[in-house]
Amino acid sequence: MKRYQPEEILIERGEENTPVVRRTLDHLPDTPVRIVEPGWEREAPPRDGTDSFAAGKRRLLFTRQRSTFLEHCPAGTSGLVCCNYLVVSLISNCPMDCSYCFLQEYLANNPLLKVFTNVEDLMSEVAKAVDRQPWRQFRIGTGELSDSLALDPLLGFSGDLVPFFAARKNVLLEFKTKSDRIEELLKHDPKDRVVVSWSLTPPAIADTEEHGTASFAERLHAAQRVQAAGYKVGFHFDPLIEYPHWEEGYRDTITQVFSAVDPRRVAWVSLGSLRMTPALRAIARRRFPQTRLLSGEQILCDDGKWRTFQALRVKMYRTITAWLKEAAPQAPQYMCMETTPVWEKVFGHAPSCDKDVARMLTQPNLVAS
Amino acid sequence: MWIVAEQIAAYAQLKRLSPQTVARWQAWAEPDRAALWELVQALQLGENHLRDFLDWCEEIALRDGSTVAAFLARPELRRPLTAQLGRNDKLKAVKDALRKLRYPRLSQLEEELRLAVKALDLGGRVQVSFPPSLEGEDVTVTITARNTKELDEHVTRVRQRLEDGAIQRLFALLDQV
Ligand code: SF4
């Protein structure tokens, strides 16, 4: 995949000498740099041009996170089964540009690619939360507001996070990515506490809808390498996309994935139907007029999001979970943002509470490396 | 080519269509623009219906790799335009036909459920309905009765359909595509 090259680096006054800024400037010595005052981006004039969101991605701003890092995953909407996942965001926005990405709507008014410099605050927050409850198993992910690894060669956050999480027995860190930027990871020992997971769609979709991401083959190769280095791996068939010949596409994808990695050492596999708000559909239609994603049989659901209509969605889940069970019988499977009745139809049961799902995903299910 | 563009612009003014909707339509290839113009004119579409038509037409064309003009020429979409129907019935007929093209499996399932309900033969005062767009599992049975005797007859008929498995098949059908 292509290397990220910002047009401009903006550094909030006072953050010039933080480690992440120093590392980035070492990697990008020729990129113009500007020092800006705290809060500058709120007054910054929008960039000219028709696609301000794409333009925003090319401006890299270093700033401090002034509120808390640790949050509950927002997917835990009432009425949907929740997996008790926590998220921390060191980056807001992403150098890649998937046509279905919710950031297009979520960051529409503030589309800079923002990097938070105070990683030490994140770690002390996490330490406080997880060390206080040593009996509880936590899962924490960094891939909520950005791709976890796409910028790692520049920012090097994995060098801070992997040793920190590797030292804790009651928490799993998940890096979620569509990139193949794993070089930094390979320098560290995850001590089985770090999961690197890939979001996957069949190559026909990845090539046309996931702009700037690593190809399917590149992602798979990266997964093989991190697994060999002692990391747990995970896979997210999310968004699950209904398109002509989806059966063949997903069947092939699953076959290739589980012949490339050791299925016995897969931490989890999730599935989640493509879901888009009406506003996000309008944005995707405008920014990617050739996208075929909106042509599936999607309807507006009670939570205000468009999804493939239920009977077809359930068919897709049942078909794909059966193939996954065959290919990786030990890997726990779960669904993201689905209702209890859909869980019952797909898995034959629904978790009695969100802790059930969390427990299933943190149990040591893996053979020793 | 300019004639359709100008006609659309004049119509947009008359119907107070939003500039975004009009710009989207005007950006289509000339034959597609003209094919939709014919429908819009015949059905006197306002902003909301027009937006649905634009969405569905673009989505079908992208999915099937066809042109809007090609599928708008299909007989099931043309027939209502010349039928002896009022504007609202024409609009409903064309919109239903276009929805069937846009949502083929959902429409088919809805049709199968409609036939399955009809086959239950519960009479006109027992209504069976499904959630909108079949999202969810709630099947609603509404019984209307003028007296206890009538109510007893309807309930008995529903019970018979439960005992012979017809209603179970209806629930199972909700999941079948
Ligand atoms: S990789 Fe993820 S965060 Fe980045 S554009 Fe795609 S969906 Fe959005």
Side-chain angles (χ1 to χ4, degrees):
Chain A
M1 65 183 271
K2 243 172 79 186
R3 183 171 159 251
Y4 172 65
Q5 175 56 59
E7 281 169 4
E8 188 181 21
I9 298 175
L10 304 147
I11 306 169
E12 206 174 88
R13 192 173 302 286
E15 304 305 310
E16 302 89 321
N17 289 314
T18 50
V20 64
V21 169
R22 297 252 58 94
R23 287 194 293 261
T24 306
L25 295 181
D26 283 350
H27 280 98
L28 298 171
D30 301 325
T31 309
V33 175
R34 194 147 56 100
I35 306 295
V36 295
E37 297 306 320
W40 162 89
E41 78 272 18
R42 286 194 294 273
E43 277 103 57
R47 277 273 162 116
D48 290 342
T50 51
D51 192 350
S52 59
F53 184 70
K57 286 173 179 279
R58 297 191 291 271
R59 300 174 94 191
L60 181 60
L61 171 70
F62 288 94
T63 181
R64 287 186 83 70
Q65 174 58 280
R66 292 185 170 83
S67 58
T68 53
F69 277 102
L70 195 59
E71 288 179 2
H72 256 280
C73 167
T77 312
S78 74
L80 302 172
V81 175
C82 164
C83 69
N84 231 340
Y85 189 64
L86 299 171
V87 293
V88 287
S89 296
L90 276 165
I91 311 169
S92 164
N93 211 338
C94 174
M96 305 180 276
D97 204 3
C98 303
S99 56
Y100 51 76
C101 180
F102 87 107
L103 297 176
Q104 296 174 97
E105 180 188 5
Y106 189 74
L107 299 176
N109 298 321
N110 191 6
L112 296 173
L113 208 162
K114 235 189 257 180
V115 175
F116 298 115
T117 49
N118 46 332
V119 62
E120 65 290 348
D121 290 341
L122 179 153
M123 293 192 289
S124 74
E125 248 183 72
V126 171
K128 245 189 243 160
V130 307
D131 297 349
R132 213 171 23 201
Q133 302 177 72
W135 61 90
R136 184 179 154 191
Q137 289 291 326
F138 293 83
R139 284 161 59 240
I140 300 182
T142 62
E144 172 62 18
L145 293 184
S146 185
D147 185 278
S148 296
L149 294 175
L151 294 173
D152 207 43
L154 274 190
L155 308 176
F157 280 141
S158 62
D160 299 310
L161 297 180
V162 174
F164 171 81
F165 281 90
R168 288 177 163 72
K169 290 262 170 281
N170 63 331
V171 57
L172 283 176
L173 170 68
E174 180 179 26
F175 289 120
K176 215 184 259 190
T177 190
K178 289 194 186 88
S179 81
D180 59 353
R181 301 294 202 238
I182 53 159
E183 296 306 330
E184 289 299 309
L185 290 180
L186 301 181
K187 297 176 190 162
H188 305 280
D189 177 3
K191 304 236 185 325
D192 228 17
R193 309 310 305 159
V194 180
V195 180
V196 188
S197 65
W198 274 268
S199 302
L200 295 177
T201 51
I205 298 294
D207 294 349
T208 52
E209 305 289 348
E210 296 175 346
H211 309 280
T213 60
S215 68
F216 173 70
E218 288 167 336
R219 288 182 224 179
L220 219 50
H221 183 53
Q224 274 178 311
R225 292 179 67 202
V226 296
Q227 197 181 51
Y231 286 86
K232 294 178 175 184
V233 295
F235 297 100
H236 300 285
F237 291 92
D238 186 353
L240 201 59
I241 289 166
E242 182 250 322
Y243 66 101
H245 313 300
W246 63 265
E247 278 112 326
E248 293 96 306
Y250 279 100
R251 173 99 237 195
D252 266 15
T253 302
I254 290 168
T255 307
Q256 287 190 55
V257 169
F258 294 102
S259 38
V261 301
D262 180 351
R264 297 168 307 159
R265 299 191 51 244
V266 170
W268 51 65
V269 182
S270 82
L271 299 100
S273 181
L274 175 71
R275 45 206 180 270
M276 294 171 94
T277 62
L280 179 56
R281 283 173 72 89
I283 296 171
R285 208 187 291 284
R286 177 171 46 76
R287 295 192 64 232
F288 302 100
Q290 292 309 309
T291 181
R292 291 181 176 207
L293 287 184
L294 308 178
S295 298
E297 292 196 45
Q298 297 133 6
I299 50 111
L300 189 59
C301 297
D302 282 348
D303 65 350
K305 295 196 171 96
W306 287 72
R307 287 179 177 76
T308 302
F309 74 94
Q310 186 174 295
L312 183 52
R313 197 161 92 235
V314 166
K315 177 181 176 171
M316 294 182 74
Y317 284 141
R318 281 181 178 153
T319 309
I320 293 171
T321 51
W323 289 335
L324 288 168
K325 193 89 213 145
E326 205 179 288
Q330 283 152 300
Q333 295 182 24
Y334 67 99
M335 286 186 291
C336 190
M337 293 202 86
E338 274 302 352
T339 58
T340 300
V342 170
W343 270 75
E344 279 163 355
K345 284 169 196 275
V346 175
F347 293 123
H349 64 90
S352 53
C353 66
D354 50 12
K355 296 196 181 57
D356 272 8
V357 190
R359 206 172 302 124
M360 165 180 90
L361 298 175
T362 48
Q363 263 167 12
N365 64 306
L366 311 172
V367 299
S369 38
Chain B
M1 159 172 176
W2 288 109
I3 295 170
V4 176
E6 281 166 15
Q7 284 170 323
I8 291 174
Y11 181 84
Q13 229 175 4
L14 187 75
K15 294 280 183 185
R16 296 168 193 266
L17 302 178
S18 73
Q20 294 91 320
T21 302
V22 179
R24 212 172 132 194
W25 185 11
Q26 294 279 30
W28 285 9
E30 167 60 12
D32 295 342
R33 210 188 318 169
L36 183 61
W37 166 240
E38 221 186 307
L39 277 186
V40 170
Q41 218 186 357
L43 301 171
Q44 287 296 300
L45 299 185
E47 172 79 17
N48 289 343
H49 283 305
L50 175 58
R51 222 175 316 123
D52 285 347
F53 272 68
L54 288 172
D55 286 352
W56 290 354
C57 287
E58 287 179 354
E59 290 159 5
I60 294 167
L62 280 167
R63 181 194 64 200
D64 297 350
S66 82
T67 66
V68 172
F71 65 77
L72 286 188
R74 291 170 71 128
E76 66 268 36
L77 287 160
R78 312 291 312 171
R79 225 174 289 121
L81 298 180
T82 50
Q84 293 293 313
L85 294 169
R87 179 259 176 191
N88 287 350
D89 290 335
K90 280 186 186 178
L91 172 58
K92 188 179 177 312
V94 173
K95 215 169 169 184
D96 282 353
L98 192 59
R99 184 176 179 273
K100 272 189 192 142
L101 278 184
R102 173 63 188 86
Y103 292 97
R105 280 161 297 185
L106 177 58
S107 305
Q108 195 190 328
L109 183 54
E110 286 167 339
E111 179 61 10
E112 281 164 16
L113 285 165
R114 194 187 64 76
L115 293 174
V117 170
K118 201 171 158 210
L120 291 178
D121 194 22
L122 296 171
R125 298 185 54 92
V126 181
Q127 304 288 326
V128 179
S129 55
F130 303 97
S133 300
L134 307 182
E135 184 66 27
E137 7 292 310
D138 292 347
V139 175
T140 308
V141 180
T142 313
I143 299 178
T144 312
R146 274 172 293 220
N147 50 47
T148 47
K149 183 171 169 286
E150 232 181 75
L151 180 62
D152 188 44
E153 280 166 19
H154 297 325
V155 171
T156 304
R157 213 174 309 181
V158 171
R159 175 146 300 284
Q160 278 166 359
R161 296 285 86 93
L162 266 171
E163 279 162 7
D164 67 20
I167 292 185
Q168 284 83 337
R169 282 196 291 280
L170 193 75
F171 274 92
L173 201 57
L174 263 176
D175 267 349
Q176 281 168 26
V177 277

